[in-house]
Amino acid sequence: MKATIAVLSGDGIGPEVTSQAIIVLQKIAAKYGHDFIFNEAPMGGIAIDQFGDPCPDSTIRACEAADAILLGAVGGPKWSDPTAPVRPEQGLLKVRKHFDLFANLRPVKAYPALAQHTPLRPELLEGVDLLFVRELTGGIYFGPRQEQGDGDTAYDTELYTVPEVERVAQVAFRAAQGRRKKLTSVDKANVMASMRLWRRTVVKVHEDYPDVELDHVLVDACTMYLVTRPASFDVLVASNMFGDILSDETSVLAGSLGMLPSASLGSATFGLYEPIHGSAPDIAGQGKANPIGTILSAALLLRYSLGLEAEAKTVEDAVDAALNSGARTADIVARGASFISTTEMTQAIVSNL
Ligand code: IPM
Ligand code: MN
């Protein structure tokens, strides 16, 4: 198959990790006889430096011409001045919104090989395999706001409509049907009107998926359950901001934020794939970044945008094999033990493809 992939490497460790995912995708293309074309386009701080715009029109057009987007990370101290008129993160939000990528899938599993590395007791991690479905184009990220704090008041608004909740709930229920048939909806219905709308909409959508068991948890309790009984979850669905916060918490179960991939999907196969970690300016350029989150994002790209399930599984199995053989980047190494570089981790994965 022939496919075009727009590559938005972005800032900080972004280029270091996207380049590694491209190496893996090229190996997959060679192994399975595919032809992948990679088109790099500026995004984030680097695009602000070049164009004064974190997501110029040329980048949107490069994405429109592609079958999928692979993204590294955006942001950094250089562009973090709170009074700056434009911010790198706006570029990412613009792409998500422009392509209506309303469902953000964040699969999390505990790796037995890394169990010793997490702060949780190993027995709590047994069987942890969950999927976060985060609403991505609505809620407080996009509600009415006062952009600049030029007075004494600033606000952001959590705003959801029934169709917005319906469509992300449908994605979550369908995902649960393909897994262990359990869905947990996270909200704050005891306080927020928008979250009461969320809950009653999820309950209504449930009528179409009677084979899935649904429960509701309040977000504050959810933070606790994710570390006290993480293996009890199958699929979770949450608003944009709750999903953002909880998925970082959940990354602890996998051993490191650097391990986790994500897929942002709309109603067709086009999607944006990125690790859930940020640009990590503190370690940029040192060869210390863990490329696994981005490489696993490339696997999701193969699965969801290109429909190449066997190829996706090959990448995921190669990551497992590399970890089982002891390959460790700095973020997942036992204290005092030696670790390998970003590119060495990629080689360990590639050698298992
Ligand atoms: C994420 C990030 C982004 C978000 C930022 C960079 C805008 O934290 O993808 O989780 O908040 O969505
Ligand atoms: Mn986040």
Side-chain angles (χ1 to χ4, degrees), residues 106 134 244 248 276:
R106 297 186 164 186
R134 170 187 173 195
D244 179 46
D248 269 34
I276 83 160

Side-chain angles (χ1 to χ4, degrees), residues 60 63-64 69 94-101 266 270:
I60 292 287
C63 295
E64 281 169 348
I69 306 169
K94 179 173 161 186
V95 174
R96 290 172 177 172
K97 192 74 174 175
H98 179 86
F99 292 100
D100 203 18
L101 304 172
F270 184 83

Side-chain angles (χ1 to χ4, degrees), residues 71 73-75 88-93 96 104 106 134-136 141 240-241 243-245 247-248 262 264 274-279:
L71 188 140
V74 297
E89 291 79 3
Q90 290 167 341
L92 180 53
L93 299 179
R96 290 172 177 172
N104 181 228
R106 297 186 164 186
R134 170 187 173 195
E135 199 291 323
L136 203 61
Y141 273 58
N240 203 342
M241 181 167 253
D244 179 46
I245 297 167
S247 58
D248 269 34
S262 83
S264 303
E274 55 174 323
I276 83 160
H277 65 68
S279 60

Side-chain angles (χ1 to χ4, degrees), residues 4-5 22 57 67 83 88 141 148 162 178-179 186 199 212 217 243 295 309-310 314 335 338 343 346 351:
T4 304
I5 298 163
I22 290 172
D57 287 345
D67 298 292
T83 64
Y141 273 58
Q148 295 298 329
V162 167
R179 296 173 45 106
V186 183
R199 189 179 288 211
V212 176
V217 297
I295 289 170
E309 175 60 33
T314 299
R335 207 189 303 271
S338 63
T343 53
T346 307
S351 70

